[in-house]
Amino acid sequence: RKVVDRYIAHVKMLETGTKVQVDQAELETVIPNTGGSSTEGGGWYVAHVKMLETGTKVQVDQAELETVIPNIGGSVMILNGVHRGAKAKVLSVDVGAFCTRVHIEEAPCKGKEVELPYEDISKLA
């Protein structure tokens, strides 16, 4: 865990209802399309992922997942930091700095704009 702005930020990227990309060579031989939707967390670092094309459910470790960044205007969920669990809209993407600027749409900080790294947000399913 890291301490950020006097709040604890858990290094976790699993939230039910977010899209993820599975980055696991062994899984690709069984399931060719590696895009999925996180259906439920199986613990702090494990997720149950439903593959989008096949509908197959697999249990995957967090280390084998990547977040999915939508286009500008797309809906995301904030996965880490003080705004964890809040839904937001993507305002801009800075490819060089690997970060996005989002507009928070709920939670106590509704209306606030923040800049977050790619791994701290994921597209809503």
Side-chain angles (χ1 to χ4, degrees):
R1 296 194 268 176
K2 304 184 282 188
V3 176
V4 179
D5 293 331
R6 296 187 330 207
Y7 293 95
I8 295 176
H10 297 284
V11 183
K12 180 182 173 195
M13 59 179 276
L14 305 174
E15 279 293 333
T16 301
T18 58
K19 289 195 176 181
V20 292
Q21 180 74 25
V22 179
D23 184 29
Q24 182 182 19
E26 303 87 44
L27 191 58
E28 286 184 32
T29 59
V30 179
I31 303 168
N33 180 3
T34 57
S37 174
S38 177
T39 58
E40 61 184 275
W44 266 102
Y45 299 105
V46 178
H48 298 280
V49 177
K50 182 178 180 182
M51 306 313 285
L52 294 177
E53 284 200 13
T54 63
T56 308
K57 288 186 181 178
V58 293
Q59 183 172 319
V60 184
D61 187 79
Q62 171 179 299
E64 297 158 352
L65 298 176
E66 296 177 0
T67 59
V68 176
I69 308 301
N71 293 330
I72 294 173
S75 296
V76 295
M77 180 172 289
I78 299 175
L79 304 174
N80 284 314
V82 297
H83 305 295
R84 178 179 167 73
K87 293 180 183 173
K89 290 271 186 202
V90 176
L91 299 176
S92 65
V93 177
D94 185 347
V95 178
F98 302 102
C99 65
T100 59
R101 178 168 274 303
V102 298
H103 179 265
I104 299 174
E105 296 187 325
E106 61 178 35
C109 295
K110 182 177 181 176
K112 184 175 181 180
E113 290 183 13
V114 293
E115 193 166 290
L116 298 168
Y118 287 168
E119 62 269 12
D120 285 355
I121 64 167
S122 195
K123 182 177 182 177
L124 285 170

